[in-house]
Amino acid sequence: MSPAQWDLPPELCCRPMAFVALTGLDVVYNAIHRAIWDAFCANRRADRVPISFKVLAGDHEYPKCRTKRTSYEWYIPKGILKTGWMNKHLNLVPALVVLFYELDWDDPQWKEKQSECATKVEIVRDKFFSHRTSLQGRNTKVAVVLIQKKTPLPPGEDLVASERASALCGACDLSGKSLFVLPHTDHLVGYIIRLENAFYEHAQTYYYNEIRRVKSHKEFLNKTTHQLLFVRHQFKMGFFSELKQDTQNALKYYRTAYVLINELRAHETNMLEIKTMAGFVNYKICRLCFQHNTPLDAIAQFRKHIDLCKKKIGSAELAFEHTAWMSKQFQSFGDLFDEAIKLGLTAIQTQNPGFYYQQGAYYAQERKQQAGQLCGHEPGVGYPAPDPLETASGALDFYGQRPWRQGHQSIDPPDSEKEKQGILALQVKERDVLHSELIIALLSNAVAQFKKYKCPRMKSHLMVQMGEEYYHAKDYTKALKLLDYVMCDYRTERWWSLLTSILCTALKCSYLMGQVKDYITYSMELVGRASILPEEQKSRIEKNLIKVLMNEVPEPEPDCDPVSVKAAQSLWSDRISLAGNNEITIEVQDYAPFVQCKAKFLSPSFHIDEPVQLHVYVRADCPHPVRFSKLCVSLSNQEYNQYCLLEDASKGKDILESSSQENMCLVPGKTRKYCFKFVAKTEDVGKKVEIMSVGLMLGRETGRYVYLTWRGGWGDAASSHETLQASRCFKKRTRFPEQQVDWDTVSIQSSTMIISRVPKISVQLTHEPPTLTNEMYCMTVTIQSEEGTVAKDLKLTAGLKPGQDANLTQSTQITLNGSEVCDDSHPALLPDIPLGDLQPGQKIVKPLYIRCVSTGSRILLFHVAYSVSATVEGKDITCKCHKDETVTVETVVPFEVAMKFVSSKFEHLERVYVDIPFLLMMDILSASPWPIELVNSEVQLASSMTAIDQPMSQVEGVTLQTSECASECFLLKCPPVQNGTSTVASGHYIISWKRKSASAETSMVRTIITLPHVMVENIPLYIHAELPSFGCVRESLPVRYRLENRTGLVQDVEISVEPSDAFMFSGLKQVRMRILPGGEQEMLYNFYPLMAGYQVLPQLNINLMRFPNISSQLLRRFLPSRIFVKPQGRNGDTSIEAA
Amino acid sequence: MSRQSNRATDSKKMNSELFTLTYGALVTQLCKDYENDEEVNKQLDKMGYNIGVRLIEDFLARSSVGRCHDFRETADVIAKVAFKMYLGITPSVTNWSPAGDEFSLILESNPLVDFVELPDNHNNLVYSSLLCGVLRGALEMVQMAVDVRFAQDTLRGDNVTEIRMKFIKRIEENMPAGDE
Amino acid sequence: MAVCIAVIAKENYPLYIRSVPTQGELKFHYTVHTSLDVVEEKISGVGKALADQRELYLGLLYPTEDYKVYGYVTNSKVKFVIVVDSSNASLRDNEIRSMFRKLHNSFTDVMCNPFYNPGDPIQSKSVFFCAHTLSIFYVTIH
Amino acid sequence: MADEALFQFLHSEIIQYINSAETGESENGRCVSKLENMGFRVGQGLIERFTKDTPRFKDELDVMKFICKDFWTSVFKKQIDNLRTNHQGIYVLQDNKFRLLTQLSAGKQYLEHAPKFLAFTCGLVRGALSNLGVKSIVTAEVSVMPACKFQVMIQKI
């Protein structure tokens, strides 16, 4: 029997369909027949009735029908189900035979044709009747289809047709229902479909009758001898119902069948048959349940099935048969389940085909194991001859029976010797079965399923099992591939127990394949903290690891297949012999090897003039001390690597042999600290130095060596979690002896900044804030060196600190030269003013002048850079140092200048009059907190103004204290202007000043102020009076009024003097006069004061006829309004004269 | 769904849990800070003392017990009133010395050590030392100098917890209650 | 009856696994580990009705041929898994629940032990723990 | 209630101790974080007990509610008076009469001591939350004694 003996027969698994045979068709030579046949076969979609057609010769031999026995009295059934039965009804015994015959109603030789057709029918019928005499046989019906060329007339119209039809039926003894006409026209397919539907009905009735026939046997059976038949009949009815497409009833029959099977008396000899049939029926039931979309019923049935059959092991020597069968049960259920899902059923995480495949796999594994135990015959034992598994027919009569005792139903085997041979044969066969293949196939099915249903862990687990199975099957490559793939899942989830077991298998594989790198990697993890192996195991592995590192052949792993070990050993010795490429690099972050590492800078930043210090902590947690030959740190700047390197000087061969550097031996559980220091490069100032990786070399260049690297200087697959735990952990703080530290307390500092050396100079600023706008503000920088050695090429950068308001840059200027006055050409910041060298203790004083054109506050920067040579770790370096001083200064205006125009009488003027003198007055109000000296002042008049007398400064040399005010005035007049009035510019006022400062001699600043514009106006008549400066009571007071006509016209002027209580007067009281162009008139009055004190002069009313709009009080403005009158006294005059 | 707690009512129990855990956190913190158990015990005792000297007012205020006439009475007050009040347990007073100046408090259960399991490396830790300090401090405030120590401790595998108290002397009023 | 008891950390690594010595414990470790798939599915609210049924007891996780695996999750996302021999159908749901109850209580006590560092494996010397788990094994053996 | 007094004393004694221990660089921050860590561990333990009989939590807010109601009640015998959130992982828990401040007499001069008296509780909350799978940063501030606000900032992972 083939290893596939447990596969379910195809006739069981297929979907049964009614079988209809077509005869009388010559599909090879006759095109028409061909077309008809094709129409039957072509696209049989779900909407076509489920029939399987076959074209058979007219005289085809159908299976003979055995004579139906009249009673079951003496009948003992030999088995449950004949192996041929299902196939017979699917493919051999048609439900209907259709005879095709070409015949038109109006055929000339109708008679002949009719009889020919009749005989053909006859022939077909004969084939079903074994004995002409008996009338019984198959219930198979025969139908006739007349292929006609003409399209038939509608029924009833063609009398000939109906008449001949009935004749034909008579001749062939057919019922009218069994005669069909197939007009061979273009609507062929349509006709065919009609036809097959008709056939289908016939078939259904046929199977219906079959079911009834089988049922009818029931009353003849008795419970004692015929249980097998009960089962058989139920099964058959179920099967026929399926053929009839009546799945509901089919299910019913099968269920009863299943019950009956379990009622059968089971014993070792028929166990297999019972299980086989149970399996069949169960399969049918589950299949139908899924088909009816009641998956839970299917699952329930299956569970019941399993529970019932689990214990039905059968003969102990053939236990593997049982497990094989069980495995198959699960597998085929899995298949059914999966199929149902493909057809739209939805499964869930906890109920999916995967579980069944998995279970199938487990049974397959068990089978393998049993096979191992039961089939381990010594080589001598061969396959028995004659072959007990041979049968006469080459096949079995009944499902699930033993070839050497078919049909035997009694409890104990008839021939114990044969029995032995048979069993032996089976065992020998089992021995050759490739179990692993079966197992792996099932597992991978399961994997696919669990992947689909979100079970990553289940998936990994199954993959582990696959890996292990491959290992057993000696396919180490595949095994390793799988194991290596899933390993990380268990590592990241920290399931060390599982990881360990996987690693162990992986280690075996890598050993057997002589995979050095894998071997080393796995060993490293297996002896480490992530492994739960017992010490002695770890120690064994470590010893092997060391062997490998010394380029020797490791001891084989325990319980490996001896043959493979042989192969492995030679593999290894080859590996050893071939030189070169003995370096292996392992990046630890994906593993948890037995060496741990932490590297840290001692500080987050180092000054350039101190050595950068770096500690590397290494710790091993393997059973035996291990020596490493090299420890190196690679930093972001490669140049430093050379200083962070520890190498074993003694190139000793043996890793265990003690060498000069004792500290290169890692003692389990002890943390070793390695200190490195180096002097940073001056160009690295301001840069970050990072630990890129730490490398630890185990082994020797001479032998084989492994280079472990920790990216970033620490951390492997396990450490991050450990660190977290440690950080939280309450832990007794215990003193550690020198060179030893508590691993957990070591923190990480994987990068550091190189910062410039602390400057040893002082920078002081002396100045007198605030600055005054436009002045040359002096700031004195005093730099004193506190260095031990000479500070070389000092450079001062001074001025406006960059990054402030842009306008400030425009309005700030700085220079070294106080005498000149800055302008826009000067920068806001003076870079790198060279100051030369500075001896220790020496001092430089540097005045700087800053001019701030606008007010507001500014931040000024004074940056002193220099270089000094220092010795670090006996290494001379020149380090640049710099010191910054910043200061914020306010700028204020030095003084406010107020200006106004006044009349000669110091009266405020909105406007001035042509040729009439007026005063320009200046008030200079100091706003500066410091005294300011007004060096000089001058007015620069515009063309539209003229000074009356030579204007000269009245404030020259004046010094103003805070909020003091200086004033001066200038007498001016305006030359005539065309057209009555206009606004004219007046010119500029220039003040030269400087801050009066005790300290630095400051240079003078010229501040130019633009004079305001003023409105100038022509006037037609000018009048002024001449009179003494005072009068006396009762003494005459002569007053002369002059009137000037300033026009080119003759003017009539009317003048009157108003009477006043204070004066008497003589002269014209009222007069009207004429003044020629440019001419002038005088009027003389004698006033006679009556009372003393300031007296209002008698008011003069002037009336210009030509210019009525010029009011008299406007003109009056030119005249004095009052005069002082002294009281009368004897010698008052003299006394006053004296005064 | 509302989680309206019924626990609000019996919050005493809760609090005692809070107390127990907090005390636990303290002890472990001390274990971190100090090198050996003896120092930890000392520190706990000291802290207990500080608590004691302040706790006594609270006690006298709320439990209206007056001055005790003798040490025996004190013992009873401690066991029946004080312990009940603050730890919700009532130790039994036993093993009086003939002189009547020394006795034992037997605690069947000790709230401080609920859930506590001593790790191996702390064999000398007297976990509940705080209690000794409290008693000492409190009594000192009522002019009683006593010596308190743990004689047995369930944590250390004894089947009861026993606090041994010894009367030393009466402190005169004017004397400063000085210890630390 | 209970053949294996496991306490699994929030991050899904084992804090405590104990199985009856007779069978290979590795097998149980795998069983427990794979069962986490179902636990995660159940507690990751994605599943439909999970929003309303928020019991700590997760019930039967999945049946294998020979074992039943039950799950329970604390509010601190620590998972308990109990593996039971399917042969004894006698075991009722509430018995399982009470086992988990016991387990939860003892776990809580461990969490309250000031000397225990949450996230560390639970030492099998931990008295509460063993007392209870043992009793579970006992319950189950008879 | 009775043994609350004991707790209060213990609490302030612990603060006392931590401060005295952290002399030298007078790391105020250091000792605050020490207290915070102690609280963290206690919170982990407490929440484990308190949630033993509660159904699984719906979501973050559900957790916060539990902290404000049950947890607070169990520890401080009153609920949080006001819980506010910006729905972006920041919660503000206000306690108008915070137990551990009550015995600390009101008044400005104690205001700067307040942080010490809140650190432990911040840890308590953080520990409880973290054990419920909510990683957070908890800070507290006092405006007027004995009212105080705890701000919980959820760390999204």
Side-chain angles (χ1 to χ4, degrees), chain B:
Chain B
M1 51 160 311
S2 93
R3 300 176 182 286
Q4 261 320 336
S5 65
N6 49 356
R7 258 189 245 90
T9 54
D10 65 342
S11 48
K12 178 191 177 87
K13 192 180 156 302
M14 244 48 241
N15 265 351
S16 76
E17 259 164 9
L18 174 64
F19 177 71
T20 312
L21 291 178
T22 310
Y23 183 69
L26 170 62
V27 178
T28 48
Q29 182 60 48
L30 291 177
C31 291
K32 262 187 235 173
D33 296 352
Y34 290 96
E35 281 186 29
N36 59 46
D37 295 342
E38 286 71 16
E39 290 175 63
V40 176
N41 302 343
K42 272 230 323 293
Q43 183 57 32
L44 283 170
D45 180 277
K46 175 177 162 194
M47 294 173 80
Y49 175 85
N50 299 344
I51 293 174
V53 294
R54 281 180 284 140
L55 193 65
I56 188 73
E57 278 120 45
D58 176 84
F59 175 71
L60 295 173
R62 295 215 262 97
S63 73
S64 48
V65 291
R67 273 205 158 293
C68 300
H69 302 94
D70 58 7
F71 201 44
R72 289 185 173 276
E73 190 177 348
T74 318
D76 278 359
V77 172
I78 290 170
K80 300 212 173 48
V81 190
F83 267 87
K84 181 107 210 64
M85 187 186 243
Y86 291 111
L87 294 178
I89 55 167
T90 335
S92 49
V93 183
T94 55
N95 308 356
W96 279 99
S97 60
D101 64 345
E102 192 172 358
F103 69 91
S104 297
L105 291 164
I106 305 294
L107 292 70
E108 290 74 7
S109 77
N110 172 3
L112 264 57
V113 303
D114 295 346
F115 339 115
V116 177
E117 286 181 68
L118 283 185
D120 307 331
N121 57 348
H122 284 287
N123 342 46
N124 303 336
L125 181 65
V126 183
Y127 187 86
S128 313
S129 307
L130 190 90
L131 291 182
C132 305
V134 174
L135 289 166
R136 199 159 51 79
L139 290 177
E140 197 166 294
M141 288 298 100
V142 291
Q143 287 69 44
M144 256 188 252
V146 289
D147 168 79
V148 191
R149 58 187 176 78
F150 272 83
Q152 299 186 75
D153 190 343
T154 45
L155 263 193
R156 294 257 228 26
D158 307 323
N159 34 19
V160 290
T161 301
E162 175 182 0
I163 300 176
R164 191 75 179 151
M165 285 185 74
K166 188 177 196 314
F167 178 83
I168 299 170
K169 66 171 189 301
R170 212 157 243 307
I171 304 164
E172 305 318 322
E173 293 293 347
N174 54 13
M175 244 182 156
D179 181 61
E180 320 303 290

Side-chain angles (χ1 to χ4, degrees), chain A residues 833-884:
Chain A
I833 307 158
L835 301 178
D837 297 356
L838 204 55
Q839 296 304 326
Q842 194 192 340
K843 178 195 278 189
I844 291 184
V845 178
K846 191 79 184 167
L848 290 156
Y849 299 90
I850 294 155
R851 180 156 178 265
C852 302
V853 179
S854 67
T855 59
S857 71
R858 294 166 167 72
I859 305 170
L860 301 177
L861 166 71
F862 298 84
H863 168 92
V864 181
Y866 65 98
S867 62
V868 63
S869 54
T871 314
V872 195
E873 304 286 300
K875 187 164 172 297
D876 287 335
I877 57 165
T878 7
C879 19
K880 304 214 172 311
C881 305
H882 64 81
K883 181 147 191 179
D884 287 3

Side-chain angles (χ1 to χ4, degrees), chain A residues 303 310 349-350 359 454-458 461 464 490 493-495 497-498 501-502 721 725 729-730, chain C residues 8 12-14 17 26 29-30 32-34 36-38 40-41 61-62 65 115 117-120:
Chain A
R303 289 241 59 84
K310 213 196 252 150
Q349 187 194 37
T350 50
Q359 200 54 42
K454 300 210 277 337
C455 303
R457 296 180 184 79
M458 183 62 95
H461 177 31
V464 172
Y490 293 95
E493 282 213 317
R494 310 177 45 73
W495 277 72
S497 55
L498 303 182
S501 84
I502 297 168
H721 179 267
Q725 283 304 90
C729 177
F730 111 87
Chain C
I8 309 298
N12 286 335
Y13 62 88
I17 294 197
L26 193 63
H29 286 211
Y30 273 118
V32 172
H33 183 248
T34 48
L36 292 178
D37 286 335
V38 188
E40 291 215 314
E41 183 72 4
L61 294 181
Y62 70 83
E65 273 312 283
F115 292 95
N117 182 24
D120 281 356

Side-chain angles (χ1 to χ4, degrees), chain A residues 354-369:
Chain A
F355 287 100
Y356 301 93
Y357 290 128
Q358 184 191 18
Q359 200 54 42
Y362 289 163
Y363 276 108
Q365 280 160 339
E366 201 174 331
R367 171 190 183 179
K368 176 184 173 191
Q369 187 193 5

Side-chain angles (χ1 to χ4, degrees), chain A residues 1067-1079:
Chain A
L1068 297 168
K1069 186 162 190 314
Q1070 178 162 26
V1071 65
R1072 186 190 180 124
M1073 65 178 71
R1074 172 163 297 170
I1075 311 175
L1076 297 173

Side-chain angles (χ1 to χ4, degrees), chain A residues 895-964:
Chain A
F895 46 72
E896 310 283 352
V897 177
M899 287 161 295
K900 56 181 185 292
F901 296 95
V902 293
S903 72
S904 43
K905 290 159 63 189
F906 291 98
E907 287 169 323
H908 177 70
L909 294 174
E910 289 89 37
R911 52 185 61 187
V912 298
Y913 295 95
V914 171
D915 283 340
I916 297 168
F918 59 89
L919 293 170
L920 171 58
M921 290 208 60
M922 317 284 189
D923 299 327
I924 305 167
L925 173 65
S926 159
S928 138
W930 307 97
I932 46 178
E933 180 187 352
L934 302 176
V935 177
N936 192 359
S937 72
E938 60 174 304
V939 284
Q940 288 175 345
L941 291 173
S943 55
S944 53
M945 296 248 170
T946 51
I948 289 186
D949 47 10
Q950 184 43 247
M952 46 126 59
S953 171
Q954 296 121 313
V955 296
E956 178 170 356
V958 172
T959 298
L960 290 176
Q961 301 297 332
T962 312
S963 75
E964 279 180 346

Side-chain angles (χ1 to χ4, degrees), chain A residues 147-291:
Chain A
I147 306 172
Q148 301 192 330
K149 297 188 181 57
K150 300 201 189 60
T151 30
L153 299 159
E157 289 185 21
D158 189 340
L159 301 169
V160 187
S162 43
E163 170 255 320
R164 285 192 166 176
S166 50
L168 184 60
C169 289
C172 313
D173 116 62
L174 286 172
S175 80
K177 279 216 243 53
S178 311
L179 176 63
F180 304 92
V181 172
L182 173 57
H184 171 254
T185 60
D186 35 11
H187 310 312
L188 185 57
V189 179
Y191 286 112
I192 295 292
I193 290 180
R194 283 229 216 84
L195 267 183
E196 70 184 22
N197 290 338
F199 297 164
Y200 183 60
E201 278 171 30
H202 279 286
Q204 293 223 317
T205 29
Y206 167 79
Y207 291 119
Y208 170 72
N209 292 327
E210 287 302 297
I211 295 166
R212 280 192 33 230
R213 189 170 56 77
V214 178
K215 244 202 203 102
S216 66
H217 301 327
K218 199 162 178 221
E219 65 257 28
F220 305 111
L221 308 183
N222 68 58
K223 287 260 176 300
T224 51
T225 49
H226 296 141
Q227 306 103 330
L228 298 182
L229 291 183
F230 282 107
V231 177
R232 180 189 298 170
H233 293 160
Q234 286 301 328
F235 183 86
K236 286 185 172 179
M237 289 190 283
F239 198 79
F240 282 130
S241 308
E242 277 196 280
L243 284 162
K244 186 169 170 287
Q245 306 307 318
D246 172 3
T247 53
Q248 293 298 348
N249 280 310
L251 188 54
K252 264 209 339 279
Y253 292 125
Y254 285 134
R255 283 190 186 282
T256 16
Y258 191 84
V259 175
L260 292 170
I261 292 172
N262 287 297
E263 286 169 357
L264 293 175
R265 261 184 260 97
H267 41 76
E268 222 171 278
T269 44
N270 72 348
M271 189 68 86
L272 183 59
E273 183 172 13
I274 289 178
K275 272 194 312 198
T276 310
M277 279 317 289
F280 286 8
V281 177
N282 171 72
Y283 180 85
K284 280 291 187 189
I285 296 175
C286 296
R287 196 160 194 272
L288 289 173
C289 288
F290 278 123
Q291 202 174 313

Side-chain angles (χ1 to χ4, degrees), chain A residues 963-982:
Chain A
S963 75
E964 279 180 346
C965 183
S967 303
E968 64 179 330
C969 62
F970 301 91
L971 184 57
L972 311 169
K973 70 178 194 169
C974 292
V977 293
Q978 46 277 69
N979 67 50
T981 72
S982 67

